[in-house]
Amino acid sequence: MTKINAMWQQYPRLAPELTATLTLIEKNIKAHDPEVTAAIIDMIHAGGKLLRPAYCLLFAQFHETDRKKMIALAAAVETLHTATLIHDDIVDESNLRRNQPTIQARFGKDTAVYAGDYLFVVCFKLLAHYTSDLRSIQVNSNSMERILNGEIHQMKMRYQLSMSLDDYLLQIKGKTAQLFSTACFIGAYESGNTQSFVRQSEQIGMAIGTAFQIVDDILDYQQSSATLGKPVLEDVRQGVYSAPLVFALQNANPELVELLKKRTALTPAECEQIRQLVVAAGGVTAAQKLAADYTQQALTAIHKLPAGAARDDLEQLTQQLLTRKY
Amino acid sequence: MTKINAMWQQYPRLAPELTATLTLIEKNIKAHDPEVTAAIIDMIHAGGKLLRPAYCLLFAQFHETDRKKMIALAAAVETLHTATLIHDDIVDESNLRRNQPTIQARFGKDTAVYAGDYLFVVCFKLLAHYTSDLRSIQVNSNSMERILNGEIHQMKMRYQLSMSLDDYLLQIKGKTAQLFSTACFIGAYESGNTQSFVRQSEQIGMAIGTAFQIVDDILDYQQSSATLGKPVLEDVRQGVYSAPLVFALQNANPELVELLKKRTALTPAECEQIRQLVVAAGGVTAAQKLAADYTQQALTAIHKLPAGAARDDLEQLTQQLLTRKY
């Protein structure tokens, strides 16, 4: 039985559509090997939040539209997201994701490479079969290029103690916000809204995605591995420096810098020490302010959209993401 | 300066188009990191044979067509091929390809994962921007799914001593012949040929690709690592059993079976021993017959196409691939 995250109970109009999205994804995963198929289905069942398809579906609610088509396109968005997660876990050598072993930890990196590739193809297939025109395919392909370049940028900026806030924002706009923006584009465009509405939707998606990633990065500095579903500050050991740390590094902090130089040799105790140093340096507070700014930017733009249930849900969800604890 | 394989000097009508294809691929590789970009460009320069774009362009010569568009689509085909090679090298842990270190050997598997992903996206972008309609995108996405499933099938059939000829053919139809078939489809379809011509082109591509892969697999049993550009029988150590070995295993051969059970522990001397046992058991001869059969099937079908320079080139190239020594 397909089960979506409990948070969607607050959105009774959206919940059945998200359940249908998840069911459709499952139906489309038919890799020529039961192990690969099971690995992917497990990962999908492990409870991704389905935020990207949710925004896609919400932006499709401003206009009469073909529900079946929009669910298929929302499924394409989530499939692309899952593909990038699987490949990121290979690059980061991550063993845990969503409180369970990653595909590469369970089945090895060969299965993980092909499982990710397979999901890219499923995404491509869903887009090809349900999109209304080539223009949409073109926008999606351009946005995929930006997402990949965001990932590559992050990989190349590893362990850069000189990383600036602009570097960080460029990175998360690529690796995270772009897909939120694309999800909103697809929802708005494919349901037949005006060009100016579509452009606004893309911009709102970019602001929401940026805020979402900053909050995600803040949670790394606030939570235990049990609540988060992955080891605390594992990203820092891997050289991925996010907003709280980037802010903390703006004030010369020799103790912090010395610890970071240990790179993968960092122990759990030292990671905890880094966490406390970053909090003490005001890194988390500054990042919270930044996330609130992007959320406010999104909410202001959302409030200019036509009033109604879709707009209400958009506002509630966007606000909720800022204050989430998981 | 873009340089294509010397074999294309025999095809003066095709050579400039292949040069243009290679130049266009280079122009499209703009990853957000000089290292990743350079790694991909190096791999492309290392001299792939460009057979898939060649067949795409040849099948586009039966009809008046937009040359720029066909070159872009031929570039998409080669880009997809290169993407699969990069990811295959991760899965196979290969260190050499085309006589030079693989991307994963030079830059690590993280760069290789993203380099392959990036090329998938470039392929998708080229298709999205140059294809004439959604139908073509749909066919391409279905064929990509078959290619991926062929790779997954091969991965899962590793070290299976009971592998049958049908298993082998299913595998190579997916991992190799499907892309040849797609290349022919794109050439024929996008240049505006009839539905029946397009269908024939796809079938011809499937036969050519099957013959090509069998010959490729035969060469592993005939050549030294210097001429081949990669270690001899490395695939066998990795558990990938191809036509000559599958034929040799049809007659119970305890010595061969015992050696194969050593799997990755096989030494170069033992690989050489396997090679000789396979040749002595008639595995190479039987595989040659199989490749000749598929080539003949392709040639018979090609001969039914409209006479002219394009058909002549198709016949010559397909014949040449059967007797190639590299």
Side-chain angles (χ1 to χ4, degrees):
Chain A
M1 173 58 196
T2 305
K3 218 167 153 247
I4 59 173
N5 194 298
M7 71 178 278
W8 298 115
Q9 288 168 6
Q10 302 162 53
Y11 302 85
R13 282 155 38 89
L14 195 54
E17 303 216 330
L18 285 174
T19 302
T21 302
L22 205 50
T23 306
L24 186 70
I25 294 173
E26 283 169 36
K27 240 180 73 182
N28 272 276
I29 309 297
K30 283 175 291 198
H32 196 90
D33 176 77
E35 190 175 271
V36 174
T37 303
I40 297 172
I41 300 264
D42 275 6
M43 165 126 187
I44 284 164
H45 272 177
K49 295 185 202 74
L50 298 176
L51 288 171
R52 294 150 191 86
Y55 276 108
C56 175
L57 292 164
L58 283 174
F59 273 98
Q61 286 182 1
F62 285 87
H63 206 273
E64 271 302 311
T65 185
D66 175 351
R67 183 175 173 272
K68 194 180 150 213
K69 168 181 137 170
M70 290 316 309
I71 285 168
L73 294 173
V77 168
E78 184 66 10
T79 306
L80 177 60
H81 173 55
T82 310
T84 64
L85 292 184
I86 294 172
H87 281 183
D88 290 352
D89 286 339
I90 302 174
V91 172
D92 300 342
E93 315 234 359
S94 303
N95 292 321
L96 273 183
R97 153 98 54 193
R98 297 173 181 169
N99 271 321
Q100 68 171 27
T102 57
I103 292 188
Q104 74 141 358
R106 276 175 71 188
F107 302 104
K109 68 180 174 352
D110 41 6
T111 299
V113 168
Y114 288 149
D117 287 355
Y118 181 75
L119 285 181
F120 277 123
V121 169
V122 171
C123 164
F124 186 40
K125 257 186 81 174
L126 286 166
L127 288 177
H129 285 82
Y130 289 95
T131 203
S132 49
D133 55 34
L134 276 173
R135 157 116 181 83
S136 176
I137 296 271
Q138 286 160 10
V139 172
N140 285 317
S141 69
N142 292 342
S143 108
M144 280 186 202
E145 184 176 25
R146 274 182 231 118
I147 293 167
L148 240 309
N149 270 328
E151 306 275 8
I152 292 171
H153 185 247
Q154 171 170 303
M155 178 176 74
K156 290 305 160 174
M157 289 295 288
R158 281 175 182 211
Y159 300 114
Q160 295 293 315
L161 292 166
S162 61
M163 185 164 155
S164 70
L165 188 64
D166 280 351
D167 287 329
Y168 168 76
L169 286 171
L170 182 69
Q171 214 168 80
I172 68 172
K173 273 172 206 262
K175 75 165 191 167
T176 306
Q178 181 62 50
L179 187 53
F180 276 84
S181 176
T182 303
C184 298
F185 163 85
I186 293 176
Y189 180 84
E190 295 282 351
S191 59
N193 286 287
T194 64
Q195 216 181 328
S196 109
F197 183 94
V198 173
R199 235 193 333 262
Q200 283 168 329
S201 307
E202 280 182 282
Q203 285 165 4
I204 291 169
M206 195 57 94
I208 291 169
T210 306
F212 172 80
Q213 185 60 54
I214 298 167
V215 172
D216 220 46
D217 293 335
I218 291 169
L219 289 173
D220 278 343
Y221 287 82
Q222 293 183 315
Q223 296 209 303
S224 71
S225 74
T227 41
L228 200 63
K230 51 186 176 183
V232 166
L233 294 198
E234 181 54 33
D235 279 1
V236 172
R237 269 190 66 237
Q238 297 290 338
V240 178
Y241 300 160
S242 68
L245 184 56
V246 169
F247 280 118
L249 283 169
Q250 284 178 350
N251 310 313
N253 192 327
E255 200 184 345
L256 186 55
V257 170
E258 279 317 301
L259 280 167
L260 292 171
K261 284 184 180 162
K262 297 196 166 183
R263 300 192 169 191
T264 50
L266 281 168
T267 64
E270 286 165 335
C271 284
E272 176 55 26
Q273 209 182 332
I274 289 174
R275 198 185 71 75
Q276 289 173 14
L277 286 169
V278 167
V279 173
V284 168
T285 310
Q288 280 167 329
K289 165 96 175 50
L290 188 66
D293 287 350
Y294 277 99
T295 299
Q296 193 48 55
Q297 188 184 316
L299 288 172
T300 304
I302 290 169
H303 205 71
K304 291 179 186 153
L305 299 178
R311 193 181 80 178
D312 293 346
D313 279 355
L314 271 181
E315 288 182 336
Q316 184 186 335
L317 180 58
T318 304
Q319 188 64 55
Q320 188 175 1
L321 290 183
L322 179 65
T323 52
R324 74 198 156 96
K325 297 280 168 252
Y326 53 92
Chain B
M1 173 56 197
T2 305
K3 220 166 151 246
I4 60 172
N5 195 297
M7 72 178 279
W8 299 114
Q9 287 167 8
Q10 303 162 52
Y11 302 85
R13 281 157 36 90
L14 195 54
E17 303 217 329
L18 285 175
T19 303
T21 302
L22 206 50
T23 306
L24 186 69
I25 295 173
E26 285 170 37
K27 241 180 72 184
N28 273 277
I29 309 297
K30 282 176 292 195
H32 197 90
D33 175 77
E35 192 176 271
V36 174
T37 303
I40 297 173
I41 299 262
D42 275 8
M43 165 128 189
I44 282 164
H45 272 178
K49 296 185 200 76
L50 297 176
L51 287 171
R52 294 151 191 86
Y55 276 108
C56 176
L57 292 165
L58 283 173
F59 273 97
Q61 286 182 1
F62 286 86
H63 207 274
E64 271 302 311
T65 185
D66 175 353
R67 183 174 173 273
K68 193 181 151 212
K69 167 181 138 171
M70 290 316 309
I71 285 168
L73 295 173
V77 168
E78 183 66 10
T79 306
L80 177 59
H81 173 55
T82 310
T84 64
L85 293 183
I86 293 172
H87 281 183
D88 290 351
D89 286 339
I90 301 175
V91 173
D92 301 341
E93 314 234 359
S94 304
N95 293 320
L96 273 183
R97 156 96 55 193
R98 297 173 181 168
N99 270 322
Q100 67 170 25
T102 57
I103 291 187
Q104 74 140 358
R106 275 174 72 190
F107 301 105
K109 69 179 170 359
D110 42 5
T111 299
V113 168
Y114 288 150
D117 288 353
Y118 182 75
L119 285 181
F120 276 122
V121 169
V122 170
C123 164
F124 186 40
K125 256 186 83 173
L126 285 166
L127 288 176
H129 286 83
Y130 288 95
T131 203
S132 48
D133 55 34
L134 276 173
R135 157 117 184 84
S136 176
I137 295 271
Q138 285 160 10
V139 172
N140 285 317
S141 69
N142 292 341
S143 110
M144 279 187 203
E145 183 175 27
R146 274 182 231 118
I147 293 167
L148 240 308
N149 269 328
E151 308 274 8
I152 291 171
H153 186 246
Q154 171 170 303
M155 177 176 75
K156 292 304 160 175
M157 290 295 290
R158 282 175 181 210
Y159 301 114
Q160 293 295 314
L161 292 165
S162 62
M163 186 164 154
S164 70
L165 189 63
D166 280 349
D167 287 328
Y168 168 75
L169 286 171
L170 182 69
Q171 208 168 84
I172 69 171
K173 274 174 207 263
K175 74 166 190 164
T176 306
Q178 181 62 50
L179 187 53
F180 275 85
S181 176
T182 303
C184 298
F185 163 84
I186 293 176
Y189 180 83
E190 295 282 351
S191 59
N193 287 286
T194 65
Q195 217 182 326
S196 108
F197 182 95
V198 172
R199 235 191 336 259
Q200 284 169 331
S201 306
E202 280 183 281
Q203 285 165 4
I204 291 169
M206 195 58 94
I208 291 170
T210 306
F212 173 81
Q213 185 60 54
I214 298 168
V215 173
D216 220 48
D217 292 335
I218 291 169
L219 290 172
D220 279 343
Y221 286 83
Q222 293 183 316
Q223 296 208 303
S224 71
S225 73
T227 41
L228 199 63
K230 52 185 176 183
V232 166
L233 294 199
E234 180 54 31
D235 279 0
V236 173
R237 269 190 67 237
Q238 297 289 339
V240 178
Y241 301 159
S242 67
L245 183 57
V246 170
F247 280 119
L249 283 170
Q250 284 178 351
N251 310 314
N253 192 325
E255 198 183 348
L256 186 54
V257 170
E258 280 315 302
L259 279 167
L260 291 172
K261 284 183 179 163
K262 298 197 167 183
R263 299 193 170 192
T264 49
L266 281 168
T267 64
E270 286 166 335
C271 284
E272 176 55 27
Q273 211 184 329
I274 290 175
R275 199 184 71 74
Q276 289 172 15
L277 286 169
V278 168
V279 173
V284 168
T285 311
Q288 279 166 330
K289 165 94 175 50
L290 188 66
D293 287 349
Y294 276 101
T295 299
Q296 193 49 54
Q297 188 184 317
L299 287 171
T300 304
I302 290 169
H303 205 70
K304 290 177 188 155
L305 300 178
R311 192 180 81 178
D312 294 346
D313 279 356
L314 271 181
E315 288 182 336
Q316 184 185 335
L317 180 58
T318 304
Q319 188 64 57
Q320 188 175 1
L321 289 185
L322 179 64
T323 53
R324 75 198 156 94
K325 297 280 169 251
Y326 55 90

